[in-house]
Amino acid sequence: MAHKITLIPGDGIGPEVTFAAKRCIEATGVKIEWDEVLAGSDALKATGELLPQGVLDSIKKNRVALKGPIITPIGEGFRSVNVAIRQALDLYVCVRPAKSYPGVKSNYKDIDLVIIRENSEDLYAGIEFEEGLTQTKELIKKIEDYSKKRIRSDSGISIKPISKFASTRIVKFAFEYAMEHNRRKVTIGHKANIMKFTDGLFLKIGREVAKEYSGRVTFEEAIVDNMCMQLVQKPRNYDVLVLPNLYGDILSDLCAGLIGGLGIAPGANIGDGLAVFEAVHGSAPKYKGLNKVNPVAMILSGVLMLDYLNEKKAALALEGAVKEVILEGKKVTYDFKSNPNDSNIVGTQEMADAVIKKLKD
Ligand code: NAD
């Protein structure tokens, strides 16, 4: 029976990379019925809404989606559609593997890390108070009364909630993921030395959950700034990393840098019985419509999706085909080559064609 999957092309480079990934996924032979829905700027033009309810309904019905990136203009009226989807569907885990592929330009080899980022709270909860508003001034006054500390009256305020509930479920997910994927170690990243009641709580819960897995998966903890330095110096000391939302976001880009850039970094947002697969990269608007950017991050997000759908053979075959195309380096996008005039550079769709050809060979 065909899997029913919601397809959200996104905007900017989204439609190009999503189309390339869709073709590669179909070439594995796995039967999929796509339910294509618009979100982002195309949806705004067509319906007047950035995130029409039909998008959320489709994901809820199909339980799985493949999503292209969507633009979030900085400082303008609306919050990120990407964050809104995660929050509306309680996709509380973000899984972002960072794996080296031979043939990719990078200062590192043999990286194989997985970031498990808490997706539902922390400074990304969207609880913010704008500078100058009456309610912001009232809030500042209240906080000063409670904390006996001074906040400048011309401040904006963002709230960082970290709960026992969300910390427990994300750390448990990280350990279960480690067990299922034969990983040796989970490291929790935090700044509990400074933020005792938020990161401190995350760490305390982490230590408690880790006890349940003692003897099966090693547990370590690291202060997040030190973790950044160590990831750059000794990345092989890490395996699965579990992090609160903001640090998880920042470190997944750092880890994408270790493996050669955003063009090859896939991701998944997972909740209870629901999952949305998307690349780590954004919609890179300046490359829109040029058939230029790298489709691999989106194709590898498709690999994660096939794995999630229990189509393990197809997932392995597709990842293998991508690996071969990258290693051969004969039909790859511009970002794989140092010389922009290299005759082996092809466009987004042509690289996807090369992957499809490998699958069929
Ligand atoms: P970006 O990831 O879109 O692009 C940054 C740079 O990375 C690009 O200029 C390009 O040089 C490179 N890059 C990205 N994807 C690539 C690919 N597939 N192949 C080759 N090179 C690639 O980041 P940004 O410019 O900070 O963000 C652009 C927009 O995307 C913003 O509005 C942002 O909010 C949004 N965004 C969306 C998501 C999402 O949909 N999940 C994620 C991140 C950013």
Side-chain angles (χ1 to χ4, degrees):
M1 212 175 68
H3 300 280
K4 290 192 176 156
I5 310 279
T6 300
L7 184 74
I8 308 166
D11 51 29
I13 57 166
E16 301 161 49
V17 290
T18 311
F19 179 60
K22 177 179 176 240
R23 292 195 299 118
C24 292
I25 293 164
E26 284 172 345
T28 65
V30 170
K31 295 270 167 286
I32 295 185
E33 247 177 62
W34 302 97
D35 180 12
E36 189 171 327
V37 287
L38 294 183
S41 49
D42 288 352
L44 188 65
K45 267 184 234 141
T47 68
E49 282 181 276
L50 279 160
L51 180 57
Q53 183 59 36
V55 174
L56 298 174
D57 291 345
S58 170
I59 303 173
K60 280 185 198 158
K61 186 171 77 175
N62 297 323
R63 318 300 292 171
V64 179
L66 184 69
K67 172 187 163 295
I70 296 174
I71 290 168
T72 309
I74 295 170
E76 287 182 30
F78 58 88
R79 294 203 157 277
S80 160
V81 172
N82 310 301
V83 175
I85 292 175
R86 289 170 208 159
Q87 287 180 347
L89 301 172
D90 197 20
L91 302 171
Y92 58 87
V93 188
C94 183
V95 180
R96 289 180 168 175
K99 195 165 160 184
S100 297
Y101 288 100
V104 176
K105 279 185 291 165
S106 167
N107 294 328
Y108 298 86
K109 281 191 195 117
D110 305 325
I111 304 281
D112 188 7
L113 304 166
V114 181
I115 298 225
I116 308 285
R117 164 187 171 193
E118 203 291 323
N119 234 359
S120 69
E121 48 183 31
D122 193 355
L123 283 163
Y124 276 61
I127 309 168
E128 295 204 291
F129 298 88
E130 192 179 341
E131 182 275 317
L133 296 185
T134 308
Q135 58 169 348
T136 311
K137 288 186 181 148
E138 286 168 7
L139 179 69
I140 288 175
K141 175 90 190 41
K142 269 255 175 316
I143 297 172
E144 286 183 335
D145 287 349
Y146 285 139
S147 67
K148 308 289 175 234
K149 295 207 166 125
R150 191 173 166 260
I151 300 174
R152 289 191 181 88
S153 60
D154 59 351
S155 299
I157 305 276
S158 295
I159 304 285
K160 174 180 164 110
I162 299 239
S163 68
K164 284 160 81 172
F165 173 80
S167 304
T168 305
R169 69 180 178 177
I170 193 71
V171 180
K172 268 187 190 280
F173 182 96
F175 276 97
E176 289 296 324
Y177 180 96
M179 303 256 297
E180 202 184 317
H181 294 84
N182 297 317
R183 299 264 171 182
R184 65 197 149 89
K185 181 161 76 179
V186 171
T187 307
I188 191 167
H190 64 87
K191 195 79 190 168
N193 48 332
I194 306 294
M195 281 160 282
K196 298 189 188 306
F197 302 134
T198 48
D199 286 23
L201 182 61
F202 189 76
L203 176 60
K204 177 170 168 280
I205 299 283
R207 288 174 178 162
E208 280 168 17
V209 171
K211 283 188 200 142
E212 295 169 30
Y213 296 87
S214 158
R216 292 183 290 169
V217 181
T218 306
F219 172 68
E220 283 182 357
E221 32 186 88
I223 295 178
V224 72
D225 39 358
N226 183 250
M227 193 179 220
C228 289
M229 187 195 70
Q230 293 208 2
L231 274 166
V232 172
Q233 285 194 322
K234 304 176 197 163
R236 276 170 285 279
N237 282 2
Y238 291 96
D239 189 357
V240 175
L241 287 71
V242 61
L243 294 146
N245 207 338
L246 177 65
Y247 310 145
D249 192 17
I250 297 168
L251 264 68
S252 30
D253 270 37
L254 188 152
C255 290
L258 296 179
I259 57 163
L262 285 171
I264 52 166
N269 298 294
I270 300 176
D272 290 327
L274 280 175
V276 175
F277 296 84
E278 62 178 340
V280 174
H281 66 71
S283 50
K286 69 177 178 192
Y287 292 105
K288 178 183 171 169
L290 301 180
N291 186 37
K292 188 165 174 178
V293 294
N294 189 344
V296 167
M298 209 56 216
I299 300 172
L300 291 177
S301 302
V303 169
L304 297 180
M305 186 183 85
L306 289 168
D307 188 65
Y308 179 87
L309 293 170
N310 219 12
E311 299 285 0
K312 308 274 181 201
K313 239 174 102 183
L316 275 174
L318 182 51
E319 189 189 12
V322 170
K323 250 188 212 168
E324 276 185 57
V325 170
I326 293 175
L327 185 61
E328 279 179 11
K330 287 186 179 153
K331 286 190 184 286
V332 292
T333 47
Y334 75 98
D335 51 319
F336 287 97
K337 300 290 180 190
S338 313
N339 175 1
N341 300 318
D342 191 310
S343 61
N344 293 313
I345 294 176
V346 296
T348 310
Q349 299 311 325
E350 290 69 30
M351 184 164 181
D353 290 342
V355 171
I356 292 167
K357 185 162 183 305
K358 287 279 171 218
L359 276 168
K360 302 217 154 132
D361 279 351

